[in-house]
């Protein structure tokens, strides 16, 4: 079973920030938080990952709470092309094992 | 550089037919994964290779499913005697030894009639 909890769906206005929450209350000290997204009819796309510090790249920012029990993926200026299912996954560092996907959050960006 | 590629992108099979799905990982990636994604669900793990060795096949749903990666590069997922419940998108992902991030291909959509 997935070790994360996400809302099933969210809406966001185009041009506004999209903030996608994820709860991972049982996360272990060596587990990273990964985010992927899946646009309709495509394979999952890696977005970002982090351990305990906040992370930012060209796609998004990842904010992890101090107790590491939850995190938020931020898309600063959502566009229609960001409409997708977003998956939050926890995974042990140094692991070459498989990813365990939950149901994710369906983000709909509306004009 | 080139990403993970999969072929065919779409496959329609009659029930009972055998199918073979191909995955070309990113060049130099030692780890290769197969996932199955049913409609409306997240991907579910099938099997994992490190180079040519199949290290984990715990997710294969039945002995009709078989995967190989004989030279540690291209991989083939074979499904024998396909059933309607095998209809799904089959995703392949690869990762390097240094970097654990998995990169996915576009998937093969299999429809069994």
């Amino acid at each position: 079973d997935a070790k994360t909890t996400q809302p099933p769906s969210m809406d966001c206005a185009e041009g506004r920030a999209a903030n996608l929450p994820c709860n991972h209350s049982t996360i272990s000290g060596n587990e990273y938080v990964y985010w992927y997204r899946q646009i309709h009819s495509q394979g999952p796309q890696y977005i970002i990952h982090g351990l305990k510090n906040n992370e930012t790249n060209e796609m998004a920012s990842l904010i992890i709470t101090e107790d590491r029990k939850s995190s938020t993926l931020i898309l600063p200026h959502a566009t229609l092309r960001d409409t997708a299912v977003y998956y939050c996954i926890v995974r042990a560092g140094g692991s070459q094992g498989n990813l365990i996907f939950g149901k994710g959050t369906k983000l709909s960006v509306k004009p | 550089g080139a990403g993970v590629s999969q072929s065919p992108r779409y496959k329609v099979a009659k029930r009972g037919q055998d199918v073979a799905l191909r995955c070309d990982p990113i060049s130099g990636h030692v780890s290769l994964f197969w996932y199955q994604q049913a409609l409306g669900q997240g991907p579910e793990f099938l099997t994992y290779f490190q180079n040519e060795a199949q290290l984990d096949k715990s997710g294969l749903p039945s002995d009709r499913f078989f995967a190989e990666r004989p030279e540690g590069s291209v991989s083939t997922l074979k499904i024998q005697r396909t059933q309607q419940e095998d209809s799904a998108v089959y995703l392949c992902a690869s990762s390097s030894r240094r970097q654990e991030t998995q990169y996915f291909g576009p998937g093969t959509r299999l429809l069994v009639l």
Side-chain angles (χ1 to χ4, degrees):
Chain A
D1 291 339
K3 298 170 66 173
T4 62
T5 304
Q6 299 177 254
S9 63
M10 291 182 63
D11 290 343
C12 178
E14 188 178 20
R16 304 297 295 268
N19 297 285
L20 294 99
C22 179
N23 287 323
H24 31 79
S25 58
T26 61
I27 193 169
S28 301
N30 70 337
E31 287 184 317
Y32 286 73
V33 180
Y34 279 77
W35 283 83
Y36 281 77
R37 73 179 182 184
Q38 190 170 24
I39 295 169
H40 183 61
S41 297
Q42 297 184 22
Q45 176 189 24
Y46 167 77
I47 301 173
I48 198 168
H49 73 283
L51 183 63
K52 54 183 178 181
N53 297 322
N54 297 338
E55 301 288 343
T56 296
N57 63 21
E58 65 278 4
M59 289 183 69
S61 294
L62 174 59
I63 308 298
I64 303 174
T65 57
E66 193 168 342
D67 64 7
R68 303 209 321 122
K69 293 186 177 182
S70 66
S71 60
T72 302
L73 179 75
I74 300 173
L75 308 179
H77 305 288
T79 71
L80 299 179
R81 288 175 293 182
D82 292 322
T83 292
V85 178
Y86 287 76
Y87 295 100
C88 170
I89 300 165
V90 296
R91 186 161 178 252
S95 168
Q96 283 287 342
N98 56 288
L99 298 170
I100 300 175
F101 290 82
K103 293 186 183 297
T105 295
K106 167 69 174 170
L107 175 69
S108 298
V109 181
K110 299 182 183 298
Chain B
V4 178
S5 61
Q6 293 186 245
S7 60
R9 290 294 313 277
Y10 303 93
K11 176 70 178 178
V12 178
K14 293 182 179 179
R15 189 163 55 93
Q17 193 176 358
D18 297 350
V19 298
L21 313 180
R22 177 187 169 108
C23 172
D24 285 79
I26 292 172
S27 178
H29 277 193
V30 299
S31 297
L32 186 146
F33 302 81
W34 284 98
Y35 294 82
Q36 180 190 58
Q37 186 171 24
L39 192 64
Q41 304 295 316
E44 292 192 354
F45 169 74
L46 292 176
T47 187
Y48 158 56
F49 290 85
Q50 189 171 88
N51 297 305
E52 68 279 2
Q54 189 174 20
L55 298 186
D56 187 348
K57 52 182 181 180
S58 62
L60 296 176
S62 77
D63 58 8
R64 295 185 296 102
F65 286 71
F66 172 77
E68 60 183 5
R69 194 186 185 199
E71 298 179 358
S73 177
V74 171
S75 177
T76 303
L77 176 68
K78 298 179 179 178
I79 309 174
Q80 298 176 324
R81 305 180 303 280
T82 52
Q83 303 295 315
Q84 286 186 319
E85 62 263 28
D86 300 334
S87 296
V89 175
Y90 290 85
L91 295 160
C92 176
S94 70
S95 65
S96 68
R97 189 184 298 279
R98 278 192 306 113
Q99 189 181 47
E100 297 147 12
T101 301
Q102 294 182 24
Y103 296 92
F104 285 79
T108 294
R109 186 175 297 273
L110 173 66
L111 177 62
V112 181
L113 301 176

PDB file of all heavy atoms in Angstrom, chain B residues 11-40:
ATOM      1  N   LYS B  11      -1.532  -1.889 -28.745  1.00  0.00           N
ATOM      2  CA  LYS B  11      -1.610  -3.279 -29.202  1.00  0.00           C
ATOM      3  C   LYS B  11      -3.002  -3.795 -28.903  1.00  0.00           C
ATOM      4  O   LYS B  11      -3.474  -3.704 -27.756  1.00  0.00           O
ATOM      5  CB  LYS B  11      -0.555  -4.130 -28.492  1.00  0.00           C
ATOM      6  CG  LYS B  11      -0.608  -5.612 -28.815  1.00  0.00           C
ATOM      7  CD  LYS B  11      -0.181  -5.888 -30.231  1.00  0.00           C
ATOM      8  CE  LYS B  11      -0.193  -7.394 -30.537  1.00  0.00           C
ATOM      9  NZ  LYS B  11       0.178  -7.657 -31.951  1.00  0.00           N
ATOM     10  N   VAL B  12      -3.639  -4.331 -29.935  1.00  0.00           N
ATOM     11  CA  VAL B  12      -4.922  -4.990 -29.747  1.00  0.00           C
ATOM     12  C   VAL B  12      -4.687  -6.471 -29.970  1.00  0.00           C
ATOM     13  O   VAL B  12      -4.114  -6.871 -30.988  1.00  0.00           O
ATOM     14  CB  VAL B  12      -5.988  -4.462 -30.731  1.00  0.00           C
ATOM     15  CG1 VAL B  12      -7.302  -5.210 -30.538  1.00  0.00           C
ATOM     16  CG2 VAL B  12      -6.193  -2.970 -30.535  1.00  0.00           C
ATOM     17  N   ALA B  13      -5.107  -7.284 -29.016  1.00  0.00           N
ATOM     18  CA  ALA B  13      -4.907  -8.726 -29.111  1.00  0.00           C
ATOM     19  C   ALA B  13      -6.236  -9.443 -28.879  1.00  0.00           C
ATOM     20  O   ALA B  13      -7.085  -8.969 -28.113  1.00  0.00           O
ATOM     21  CB  ALA B  13      -3.881  -9.191 -28.087  1.00  0.00           C
ATOM     22  N   LYS B  14      -6.367 -10.567 -29.532  1.00  0.00           N
ATOM     23  CA  LYS B  14      -7.525 -11.420 -29.262  1.00  0.00           C
ATOM     24  C   LYS B  14      -7.218 -12.264 -28.038  1.00  0.00           C
ATOM     25  O   LYS B  14      -6.061 -12.666 -27.810  1.00  0.00           O
ATOM     26  CB  LYS B  14      -7.816 -12.307 -30.464  1.00  0.00           C
ATOM     27  CG  LYS B  14      -8.298 -11.547 -31.691  1.00  0.00           C
ATOM     28  CD  LYS B  14      -8.620 -12.509 -32.820  1.00  0.00           C
ATOM     29  CE  LYS B  14      -9.131 -11.755 -34.034  1.00  0.00           C
ATOM     30  NZ  LYS B  14      -9.428 -12.672 -35.170  1.00  0.00           N
ATOM     31  N   ARG B  15      -8.228 -12.533 -27.260  1.00  0.00           N
ATOM     32  CA  ARG B  15      -8.041 -13.360 -26.072  1.00  0.00           C
ATOM     33  C   ARG B  15      -7.380 -14.679 -26.446  1.00  0.00           C
ATOM     34  O   ARG B  15      -7.786 -15.335 -27.408  1.00  0.00           O
ATOM     35  CB  ARG B  15      -9.388 -13.594 -25.396  1.00  0.00           C
ATOM     36  CG  ARG B  15      -9.321 -14.245 -24.039  1.00  0.00           C
ATOM     37  CD  ARG B  15     -10.623 -14.053 -23.279  1.00  0.00           C
ATOM     38  NE  ARG B  15     -11.765 -14.532 -24.039  1.00  0.00           N
ATOM     39  CZ  ARG B  15     -12.279 -15.751 -23.948  1.00  0.00           C
ATOM     40  NH1 ARG B  15     -11.701 -16.642 -23.152  1.00  0.00           N
ATOM     41  NH2 ARG B  15     -13.323 -16.093 -24.646  1.00  0.00           N
ATOM     42  N   GLY B  16      -6.321 -15.021 -25.706  1.00  0.00           N
ATOM     43  CA  GLY B  16      -5.592 -16.244 -25.975  1.00  0.00           C
ATOM     44  C   GLY B  16      -4.322 -16.041 -26.790  1.00  0.00           C
ATOM     45  O   GLY B  16      -3.477 -16.944 -26.867  1.00  0.00           O
ATOM     46  N   GLN B  17      -4.188 -14.885 -27.367  1.00  0.00           N
ATOM     47  CA  GLN B  17      -3.023 -14.568 -28.180  1.00  0.00           C
ATOM     48  C   GLN B  17      -1.836 -14.221 -27.277  1.00  0.00           C
ATOM     49  O   GLN B  17      -2.004 -13.713 -26.170  1.00  0.00           O
ATOM     50  CB  GLN B  17      -3.373 -13.383 -29.088  1.00  0.00           C
ATOM     51  CG  GLN B  17      -2.423 -13.083 -30.206  1.00  0.00           C
ATOM     52  CD  GLN B  17      -2.931 -11.945 -31.092  1.00  0.00           C
ATOM     53  OE1 GLN B  17      -4.025 -11.404 -30.892  1.00  0.00           O
ATOM     54  NE2 GLN B  17      -2.142 -11.590 -32.085  1.00  0.00           N
ATOM     55  N   ASP B  18      -0.621 -14.475 -27.739  1.00  0.00           N
ATOM     56  CA  ASP B  18       0.585 -14.058 -27.027  1.00  0.00           C
ATOM     57  C   ASP B  18       1.013 -12.679 -27.542  1.00  0.00           C
ATOM     58  O   ASP B  18       0.877 -12.386 -28.728  1.00  0.00           O
ATOM     59  CB  ASP B  18       1.730 -15.040 -27.281  1.00  0.00           C
ATOM     60  CG  ASP B  18       1.435 -16.432 -26.746  1.00  0.00           C
ATOM     61  OD1 ASP B  18       0.439 -16.603 -26.008  1.00  0.00           O
ATOM     62  OD2 ASP B  18       2.213 -17.349 -27.069  1.00  0.00           O
ATOM     63  N   VAL B  19       1.526 -11.836 -26.630  1.00  0.00           N
ATOM     64  CA  VAL B  19       2.024 -10.519 -27.037  1.00  0.00           C
ATOM     65  C   VAL B  19       3.415 -10.292 -26.457  1.00  0.00           C
ATOM     66  O   VAL B  19       3.786 -10.884 -25.431  1.00  0.00           O
ATOM     67  CB  VAL B  19       1.080  -9.378 -26.577  1.00  0.00           C
ATOM     68  CG1 VAL B  19      -0.291  -9.512 -27.219  1.00  0.00           C
ATOM     69  CG2 VAL B  19       0.983  -9.306 -25.068  1.00  0.00           C
ATOM     70  N   ALA B  20       4.179  -9.434 -27.111  1.00  0.00           N
ATOM     71  CA  ALA B  20       5.514  -9.064 -26.643  1.00  0.00           C
ATOM     72  C   ALA B  20       5.644  -7.549 -26.689  1.00  0.00           C
ATOM     73  O   ALA B  20       5.386  -6.935 -27.726  1.00  0.00           O
ATOM     74  CB  ALA B  20       6.591  -9.719 -27.504  1.00  0.00           C
ATOM     75  N   LEU B  21       6.017  -6.973 -25.584  1.00  0.00           N
ATOM     76  CA  LEU B  21       6.141  -5.518 -25.463  1.00  0.00           C
ATOM     77  C   LEU B  21       7.615  -5.183 -25.228  1.00  0.00           C
ATOM     78  O   LEU B  21       8.271  -5.799 -24.387  1.00  0.00           O
ATOM     79  CB  LEU B  21       5.289  -5.010 -24.295  1.00  0.00           C
ATOM     80  CG  LEU B  21       3.852  -5.543 -24.218  1.00  0.00           C
ATOM     81  CD1 LEU B  21       3.136  -4.956 -23.013  1.00  0.00           C
ATOM     82  CD2 LEU B  21       3.098  -5.268 -25.491  1.00  0.00           C
ATOM     83  N   ARG B  22       8.094  -4.180 -25.942  1.00  0.00           N
ATOM     84  CA  ARG B  22       9.523  -3.875 -25.914  1.00  0.00           C
ATOM     85  C   ARG B  22       9.781  -2.569 -25.184  1.00  0.00           C
ATOM     86  O   ARG B  22       9.008  -1.613 -25.282  1.00  0.00           O
ATOM     87  CB  ARG B  22      10.047  -3.772 -27.342  1.00  0.00           C
ATOM     88  CG  ARG B  22      11.505  -3.380 -27.466  1.00  0.00           C
ATOM     89  CD  ARG B  22      11.890  -3.139 -28.909  1.00  0.00           C
ATOM     90  NE  ARG B  22      13.203  -2.523 -29.036  1.00  0.00           N
ATOM     91  CZ  ARG B  22      14.283  -3.159 -29.473  1.00  0.00           C
ATOM     92  NH1 ARG B  22      14.198  -4.431 -29.842  1.00  0.00           N
ATOM     93  NH2 ARG B  22      15.440  -2.522 -29.571  1.00  0.00           N
ATOM     94  N   CYS B  23      10.910  -2.535 -24.470  1.00  0.00           N
ATOM     95  CA  CYS B  23      11.351  -1.322 -23.779  1.00  0.00           C
ATOM     96  C   CYS B  23      12.815  -1.061 -24.093  1.00  0.00           C
ATOM     97  O   CYS B  23      13.661  -1.942 -23.901  1.00  0.00           O
ATOM     98  CB  CYS B  23      11.172  -1.451 -22.270  1.00  0.00           C
ATOM     99  SG  CYS B  23      11.900  -0.085 -21.326  1.00  0.00           S
ATOM    100  N   ASP B  24      13.109   0.142 -24.557  1.00  0.00           N
ATOM    101  CA  ASP B  24      14.489   0.595 -24.746  1.00  0.00           C
ATOM    102  C   ASP B  24      14.802   1.626 -23.667  1.00  0.00           C
ATOM    103  O   ASP B  24      14.308   2.760 -23.746  1.00  0.00           O
ATOM    104  CB  ASP B  24      14.675   1.224 -26.125  1.00  0.00           C
ATOM    105  CG  ASP B  24      14.723   0.200 -27.230  1.00  0.00           C
ATOM    106  OD1 ASP B  24      13.653  -0.279 -27.636  1.00  0.00           O
ATOM    107  OD2 ASP B  24      15.844  -0.113 -27.668  1.00  0.00           O
ATOM    108  N   PRO B  25      15.611   1.269 -22.689  1.00  0.00           N
ATOM    109  CA  PRO B  25      15.883   2.210 -21.592  1.00  0.00           C
ATOM    110  C   PRO B  25      16.850   3.302 -22.039  1.00  0.00           C
ATOM    111  O   PRO B  25      17.407   3.247 -23.139  1.00  0.00           O
ATOM    112  CB  PRO B  25      16.518   1.315 -20.532  1.00  0.00           C
ATOM    113  CG  PRO B  25      17.223   0.265 -21.331  1.00  0.00           C
ATOM    114  CD  PRO B  25      16.339   0.010 -22.522  1.00  0.00           C
ATOM    115  N   ILE B  26      17.044   4.261 -21.180  1.00  0.00           N
ATOM    116  CA  ILE B  26      18.048   5.291 -21.430  1.00  0.00           C
ATOM    117  C   ILE B  26      19.414   4.617 -21.452  1.00  0.00           C
ATOM    118  O   ILE B  26      19.717   3.767 -20.592  1.00  0.00           O
ATOM    119  CB  ILE B  26      17.976   6.384 -20.355  1.00  0.00           C
ATOM    120  CG1 ILE B  26      16.651   7.155 -20.503  1.00  0.00           C
ATOM    121  CG2 ILE B  26      19.166   7.331 -20.446  1.00  0.00           C
ATOM    122  CD1 ILE B  26      16.367   8.139 -19.381  1.00  0.00           C
ATOM    123  N   SER B  27      20.234   4.981 -22.435  1.00  0.00           N
ATOM    124  CA  SER B  27      21.534   4.346 -22.601  1.00  0.00           C
ATOM    125  C   SER B  27      22.361   4.439 -21.318  1.00  0.00           C
ATOM    126  O   SER B  27      22.488   5.510 -20.715  1.00  0.00           O
ATOM    127  CB  SER B  27      22.277   5.028 -23.749  1.00  0.00           C
ATOM    128  OG  SER B  27      23.570   4.471 -23.914  1.00  0.00           O
ATOM    129  N   GLY B  28      22.896   3.306 -20.893  1.00  0.00           N
ATOM    130  CA  GLY B  28      23.739   3.277 -19.706  1.00  0.00           C
ATOM    131  C   GLY B  28      22.998   3.052 -18.406  1.00  0.00           C
ATOM    132  O   GLY B  28      23.629   2.847 -17.362  1.00  0.00           O
ATOM    133  N   HIS B  29      21.687   3.066 -18.435  1.00  0.00           N
ATOM    134  CA  HIS B  29      20.924   2.834 -17.198  1.00  0.00           C
ATOM    135  C   HIS B  29      20.936   1.343 -16.864  1.00  0.00           C
ATOM    136  O   HIS B  29      20.552   0.510 -17.661  1.00  0.00           O
ATOM    137  CB  HIS B  29      19.491   3.338 -17.349  1.00  0.00           C
ATOM    138  CG  HIS B  29      19.351   4.799 -17.107  1.00  0.00           C
ATOM    139  ND1 HIS B  29      18.127   5.414 -16.931  1.00  0.00           N
ATOM    140  CD2 HIS B  29      20.292   5.770 -16.979  1.00  0.00           C
ATOM    141  CE1 HIS B  29      18.325   6.708 -16.715  1.00  0.00           C
ATOM    142  NE2 HIS B  29      19.625   6.942 -16.744  1.00  0.00           N
ATOM    143  N   VAL B  30      21.368   1.053 -15.638  1.00  0.00           N
ATOM    144  CA  VAL B  30      21.497  -0.351 -15.268  1.00  0.00           C
ATOM    145  C   VAL B  30      20.190  -0.934 -14.750  1.00  0.00           C
ATOM    146  O   VAL B  30      19.957  -2.134 -14.830  1.00  0.00           O
ATOM    147  CB  VAL B  30      22.600  -0.542 -14.196  1.00  0.00           C
ATOM    148  CG1 VAL B  30      23.936  -0.081 -14.725  1.00  0.00           C
ATOM    149  CG2 VAL B  30      22.267   0.186 -12.920  1.00  0.00           C
ATOM    150  N   SER B  31      19.337  -0.106 -14.192  1.00  0.00           N
ATOM    151  CA  SER B  31      18.093  -0.596 -13.597  1.00  0.00           C
ATOM    152  C   SER B  31      16.926  -0.373 -14.558  1.00  0.00           C
ATOM    153  O   SER B  31      16.817   0.683 -15.181  1.00  0.00           O
ATOM    154  CB  SER B  31      17.805   0.117 -12.276  1.00  0.00           C
ATOM    155  OG  SER B  31      18.818  -0.156 -11.335  1.00  0.00           O
ATOM    156  N   LEU B  32      16.073  -1.383 -14.631  1.00  0.00           N
ATOM    157  CA  LEU B  32      14.907  -1.310 -15.511  1.00  0.00           C
ATOM    158  C   LEU B  32      13.717  -1.910 -14.777  1.00  0.00           C
ATOM    159  O   LEU B  32      13.824  -2.967 -14.149  1.00  0.00           O
ATOM    160  CB  LEU B  32      15.169  -2.054 -16.822  1.00  0.00           C
ATOM    161  CG  LEU B  32      14.089  -1.952 -17.904  1.00  0.00           C
ATOM    162  CD1 LEU B  32      14.729  -1.948 -19.289  1.00  0.00           C
ATOM    163  CD2 LEU B  32      13.054  -3.042 -17.786  1.00  0.00           C
ATOM    164  N   PHE B  33      12.595  -1.218 -14.872  1.00  0.00           N
ATOM    165  CA  PHE B  33      11.373  -1.604 -14.163  1.00  0.00           C
ATOM    166  C   PHE B  33      10.217  -1.710 -15.154  1.00  0.00           C
ATOM    167  O   PHE B  33      10.122  -0.913 -16.090  1.00  0.00           O
ATOM    168  CB  PHE B  33      10.998  -0.555 -13.113  1.00  0.00           C
ATOM    169  CG  PHE B  33      12.053  -0.286 -12.084  1.00  0.00           C
ATOM    170  CD1 PHE B  33      13.120   0.561 -12.363  1.00  0.00           C
ATOM    171  CD2 PHE B  33      11.987  -0.873 -10.827  1.00  0.00           C
ATOM    172  CE1 PHE B  33      14.099   0.817 -11.416  1.00  0.00           C
ATOM    173  CE2 PHE B  33      12.957  -0.618  -9.874  1.00  0.00           C
ATOM    174  CZ  PHE B  33      14.018   0.232 -10.177  1.00  0.00           C
ATOM    175  N   TRP B  34       9.329  -2.641 -14.890  1.00  0.00           N
ATOM    176  CA  TRP B  34       8.048  -2.722 -15.599  1.00  0.00           C
ATOM    177  C   TRP B  34       6.919  -2.485 -14.597  1.00  0.00           C
ATOM    178  O   TRP B  34       6.944  -3.021 -13.478  1.00  0.00           O
ATOM    179  CB  TRP B  34       7.851  -4.089 -16.248  1.00  0.00           C
ATOM    180  CG  TRP B  34       8.638  -4.318 -17.495  1.00  0.00           C
ATOM    181  CD1 TRP B  34       9.829  -4.974 -17.621  1.00  0.00           C
ATOM    182  CD2 TRP B  34       8.272  -3.918 -18.829  1.00  0.00           C
ATOM    183  NE1 TRP B  34      10.230  -5.000 -18.940  1.00  0.00           N
ATOM    184  CE2 TRP B  34       9.289  -4.361 -19.702  1.00  0.00           C
ATOM    185  CE3 TRP B  34       7.179  -3.227 -19.369  1.00  0.00           C
ATOM    186  CZ2 TRP B  34       9.253  -4.137 -21.078  1.00  0.00           C
ATOM    187  CZ3 TRP B  34       7.140  -3.009 -20.739  1.00  0.00           C
ATOM    188  CH2 TRP B  34       8.166  -3.462 -21.574  1.00  0.00           C
ATOM    189  N   TYR B  35       5.937  -1.693 -15.028  1.00  0.00           N
ATOM    190  CA  TYR B  35       4.750  -1.419 -14.232  1.00  0.00           C
ATOM    191  C   TYR B  35       3.517  -1.663 -15.088  1.00  0.00           C
ATOM    192  O   TYR B  35       3.544  -1.533 -16.320  1.00  0.00           O
ATOM    193  CB  TYR B  35       4.723   0.044 -13.759  1.00  0.00           C
ATOM    194  CG  TYR B  35       5.804   0.441 -12.787  1.00  0.00           C
ATOM    195  CD1 TYR B  35       7.077   0.784 -13.229  1.00  0.00           C
ATOM    196  CD2 TYR B  35       5.552   0.504 -11.421  1.00  0.00           C
ATOM    197  CE1 TYR B  35       8.072   1.177 -12.333  1.00  0.00           C
ATOM    198  CE2 TYR B  35       6.537   0.897 -10.510  1.00  0.00           C
ATOM    199  CZ  TYR B  35       7.783   1.231 -10.986  1.00  0.00           C
ATOM    200  OH  TYR B  35       8.767   1.617 -10.094  1.00  0.00           O
ATOM    201  N   GLN B  36       2.415  -1.969 -14.420  1.00  0.00           N
ATOM    202  CA  GLN B  36       1.130  -2.129 -15.086  1.00  0.00           C
ATOM    203  C   GLN B  36       0.176  -1.081 -14.533  1.00  0.00           C
ATOM    204  O   GLN B  36       0.112  -0.888 -13.306  1.00  0.00           O
ATOM    205  CB  GLN B  36       0.575  -3.535 -14.803  1.00  0.00           C
ATOM    206  CG  GLN B  36      -0.773  -3.817 -15.444  1.00  0.00           C
ATOM    207  CD  GLN B  36      -1.378  -5.117 -14.931  1.00  0.00           C
ATOM    208  OE1 GLN B  36      -1.594  -5.281 -13.735  1.00  0.00           O
ATOM    209  NE2 GLN B  36      -1.617  -6.065 -15.830  1.00  0.00           N
ATOM    210  N   GLN B  37      -0.540  -0.396 -15.405  1.00  0.00           N
ATOM    211  CA  GLN B  37      -1.462   0.629 -14.952  1.00  0.00           C
ATOM    212  C   GLN B  37      -2.858   0.375 -15.512  1.00  0.00           C
ATOM    213  O   GLN B  37      -3.095   0.516 -16.711  1.00  0.00           O
ATOM    214  CB  GLN B  37      -0.987   2.020 -15.364  1.00  0.00           C
ATOM    215  CG  GLN B  37      -1.837   3.145 -14.787  1.00  0.00           C
ATOM    216  CD  GLN B  37      -1.236   4.518 -15.027  1.00  0.00           C
ATOM    217  OE1 GLN B  37      -0.459   4.709 -15.958  1.00  0.00           O
ATOM    218  NE2 GLN B  37      -1.583   5.486 -14.196  1.00  0.00           N
ATOM    219  N   ALA B  38      -3.758  -0.006 -14.627  1.00  0.00           N
ATOM    220  CA  ALA B  38      -5.155  -0.180 -15.012  1.00  0.00           C
ATOM    221  C   ALA B  38      -5.827   1.190 -15.109  1.00  0.00           C
ATOM    222  O   ALA B  38      -5.357   2.175 -14.521  1.00  0.00           O
ATOM    223  CB  ALA B  38      -5.874  -1.049 -13.986  1.00  0.00           C
ATOM    224  N   LEU B  39      -6.916   1.232 -15.815  1.00  0.00           N
ATOM    225  CA  LEU B  39      -7.621   2.490 -16.047  1.00  0.00           C
ATOM    226  C   LEU B  39      -8.022   3.149 -14.732  1.00  0.00           C
ATOM    227  O   LEU B  39      -8.614   2.502 -13.869  1.00  0.00           O
ATOM    228  CB  LEU B  39      -8.862   2.219 -16.905  1.00  0.00           C
ATOM    229  CG  LEU B  39      -9.573   3.443 -17.481  1.00  0.00           C
ATOM    230  CD1 LEU B  39      -8.661   4.174 -18.448  1.00  0.00           C
ATOM    231  CD2 LEU B  39     -10.864   3.018 -18.186  1.00  0.00           C
ATOM    232  N   GLY B  40      -7.623   4.396 -14.553  1.00  0.00           N
ATOM    233  CA  GLY B  40      -8.008   5.143 -13.362  1.00  0.00           C
ATOM    234  C   GLY B  40      -7.197   4.846 -12.123  1.00  0.00           C
ATOM    235  O   GLY B  40      -7.490   5.381 -11.045  1.00  0.00           O
TER     236      GLY B  40
END
